[in-house]
């Protein structure tokens, strides 16, 4: 039985799984905080400016699509700008000690109520207009 | 030894770890796509509009700080708007088949070069002005 | 000869022209400041928050185009959101005592140098890529 | 009597007044359209992208305040970015054939109803929370 086998490979499997797990949010959060602290930047990172920085990065992402069709945007540059968006979003979540998985899943639940399938299917209308 | 014990608790430990792992990016991605597909919304979700939606949510997040000091913003509302930001950022990453951990870690590396500790420490100057 | 005629109608014509003139920037500026002062809002209107407010209104304008083709946006709502954009832009110009005509004409001149007709004609490329 | 005098100076006074008048909206509008047409850029200037461009310029304006106190931002750069904001706002107004004075004055009237002086005085609350 897989989980209780004593073959060395299983051990590797689990540590890999745990390490992979660590590579997610928590790992990114730690890397971002280390980067910030190395530069003594926490003094600038109040939530208002972090939110502003996030918005500015989102805008730089949008600039890649300006005057263009969606498919004409440069994917390499999108990667860079989207990474910046995630970086500030994670730093902001950290300021409020938020669990990213939890807040996103909760929001999906709320949106599922605002946009019930039978009313929202196939339309881009705002919930206030459904 | 922990990993090869045959106590049932360990099994629970591992499955929990794996489940937790699943709760991260991949889990959010799946939940968001299911939400989208249930409503037949993929037709609207081209990258240009997803980037625009992301920017609009970032702006709604900023509105919570408008005319206020950072600490006066409502954390409950921040949670909601930040969740929306993550939702669109994840959906956009999915469009380009990007690994979020990878792009953020790569960007930190690049920024570490643009902002070397000895020059960037304690200053909020842009790298072009360092 | 028009300007030196002694017919009363000419007088009306000139005062109308002057009044119309007053209806422009200066008139809007005065109306906005009166609105602001009546509500004792100057205390909130520091340039950083005014710029943020401007950005938020620009974002609300963009929301009218989200998930849509350009021609599907509601012109009545565009009127409202664009008016908000102008209002904050004028209030911000006022903070720095800027002459709107002057700064825009100067910027057009600068852009004409960045985007010379022979290079920029018919392409949406950024000047850095021309 | 001033307006019907035949002194040459009066003529200059009026033409100056009319020229000044022309320097406002209409003059800016014409200069922007000439700039655009010289480069054959009308093909890119659909309202959705113009609104996006406006938002991007508003964001660049905000970047001048990022990590800073309001008074630390560079006024020379603010001038440039604010000019870009006005430029796209005017071009967008032109697309919908809007009279800028009219839409802003109408919006002030609407806001005066949403924010009656007795309720809104001295508070930055949104009208929905008054």
């Amino acid at each position: 039985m897989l989980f209780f086998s004593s073959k060395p490979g299983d051990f590797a499997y689990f540590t890999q799984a745990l390490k992979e797990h660590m590579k997610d949010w928590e790992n990114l959060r730690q890397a971002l905080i280390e980067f910030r602290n190395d530069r003594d930047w926490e003094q600038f990172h109040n939530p208002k400016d972090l939110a502003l920085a996030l918005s500015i990065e989102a805008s730089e992402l949008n600039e890649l699509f300006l005057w263009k069709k969606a498919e004409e945007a440069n994917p390499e540059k999108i990667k860079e700008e989207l990474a910046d968006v995630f970086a500030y979003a994670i730093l902001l979540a950290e300021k409020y000690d938020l669990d990213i998985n939890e807040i996103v899943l909760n929001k999906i639940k709320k949106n599922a109520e605002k946009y019930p399938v039978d009313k929202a299917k196939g339309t881009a209308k705002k919930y206030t207009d459904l």
Side-chain angles (χ1 to χ4, degrees), chain A residues 81-130:
Chain A
E81 300 302 346
L82 191 54
D84 286 333
V85 166
F86 274 110
Y88 285 117
I90 293 168
L91 283 168
L92 199 52
E94 198 265 335
K95 281 280 168 194
Y96 292 94
D97 208 17
L98 301 174
D99 178 318
I100 296 169
N101 295 303
E102 192 184 305
I103 62 169
V104 177
L105 291 173
N106 279 346
K107 196 61 198 277
I108 294 175
K109 241 179 265 174
K110 281 202 179 184
N111 281 340
E113 285 162 31
K114 269 158 102 177
Y115 295 93
V117 171
D118 60 330
K119 286 191 182 174
K121 193 157 190 164
T123 170
K125 280 188 192 162
K126 216 176 165 172
Y127 70 98
T128 42
D129 297 328
L130 282 179

Side-chain angles (χ1 to χ4, degrees), chain A residues 29-39:
Chain A
R29 200 178 66 85
Q30 282 178 18
L32 289 163
I33 286 172
E34 194 184 314
F35 179 86
R36 178 195 74 190
N37 289 350
D38 283 350
R39 283 156 190 78

Side-chain angles (χ1 to χ4, degrees), chain A residues 46-63:
Chain A
N46 66 79
K48 184 167 180 168
D49 278 286
L50 282 174
L52 188 54
L54 170 58
S55 183
I56 291 165
E57 297 300 343
S59 182
E60 291 182 3
L61 178 67
N62 273 274
E63 198 180 351

Side-chain angles (χ1 to χ4, degrees), chain A residues 8-43:
Chain A
D10 297 335
F11 181 76
Y13 171 80
F14 287 124
T15 51
Q16 184 59 22
L18 290 169
K19 209 179 114 198
E20 287 297 318
H21 174 53
M22 277 298 294
K23 263 195 190 159
D24 264 31
W25 293 125
E26 182 50 26
N27 195 26
L28 290 182
R29 200 178 66 85
Q30 282 178 18
L32 289 163
I33 286 172
E34 194 184 314
F35 179 86
R36 178 195 74 190
N37 289 350
D38 283 350
R39 283 156 190 78
D40 203 11
W41 282 356
E42 194 174 5
Q43 57 183 314

